Amino acid sequence: MKKIGVLVSGGGTNLQALIDSEKRGELIGGKLSCVISSKEGAYALERAAQNGIKGITLPRKDYSDTASYTRAITDTLIAEGIDIVVYAGFMTILDEQIVRQFPYKMLNVHPALIPSFCGKGFYGLHVHEEVLKRGVKVTGATVHFVTEVCDGGPIVLQKAVDVRNDDTPETLQRRVMEECEWKLLPQAVSLLCQDRITVKDNVAYAN
Ligand code: GAR
């Protein structure tokens, strides 16, 4: 059984999707073991506590630079004996130290169809604002491996939804979460826990 560590920064609805999936017995091969928040008082920590999962707060603001913060997160994951790391609404960029420690063992959920609307500055509601501004007719979510390149790691799963004429950033965000993110993330985590994802030439194959 692989020990899963989840990195969060906010409300934690993706964490909740993982918790619900585990309860249904669908997180095959994995166990949610700890939740680390970059923000004090994040509601995701409450969700962890309510479900008997260890919560740890490592505030980003307590660290002067990315390197020292990455070291702290990596050391904590190692101390907790974590095998698989999940970025679930984690809004902080970490450097290559963590990638070296967990090569192809880290997944991120992104609220758009990569390679569109991704990279530095594209996070949370802002992504959906940009989608509406550009007028694309289809958007969705992506689960991908975390590598040194922001939102650039091999894509594991994607799912699309239509953009509607009357969408606001909030309605679109909700639909992308409900129809895409909350389904894809538990599926991808379970596939990784079962060693069912291979990577060749920066392309991931789930089977
Ligand atoms: C989710 O939509 C997630 O995809 C996005 O932030 C939201 C967090 O919600 N993540 C990013 O934008 C990362 N680049 P949650 O805290 O309720 O899971």
Side-chain angles (χ1 to χ4, degrees), residues 134-187:
R134 186 63 187 84
V136 295
K137 305 307 175 203
V138 174
T139 186
T142 303
V143 178
H144 64 92
F145 281 112
V146 178
T147 63
E148 292 86 346
V149 184
C150 178
D151 293 335
I155 292 167
V156 177
L157 297 176
Q158 287 187 307
K159 192 166 185 290
V161 291
D162 288 339
V163 179
R164 297 180 187 158
N165 288 346
D166 60 352
D167 263 327
T168 64
E170 289 79 10
T171 61
L172 188 56
Q173 179 181 52
R174 181 76 195 179
R175 198 157 67 256
V176 167
M177 284 177 154
E178 268 178 11
E179 293 184 23
C180 307
E181 297 185 46
W182 301 342
K183 292 179 180 167
L184 290 188
L185 187 61
Q187 274 174 24

Side-chain angles (χ1 to χ4, degrees), residues 11-14 89 91 109-111 122-124 177 181:
T13 64
N14 278 289
M91 301 304 189
V109 60
H110 182 75
F122 284 93
Y123 59 89
M177 284 177 154
E181 297 185 46

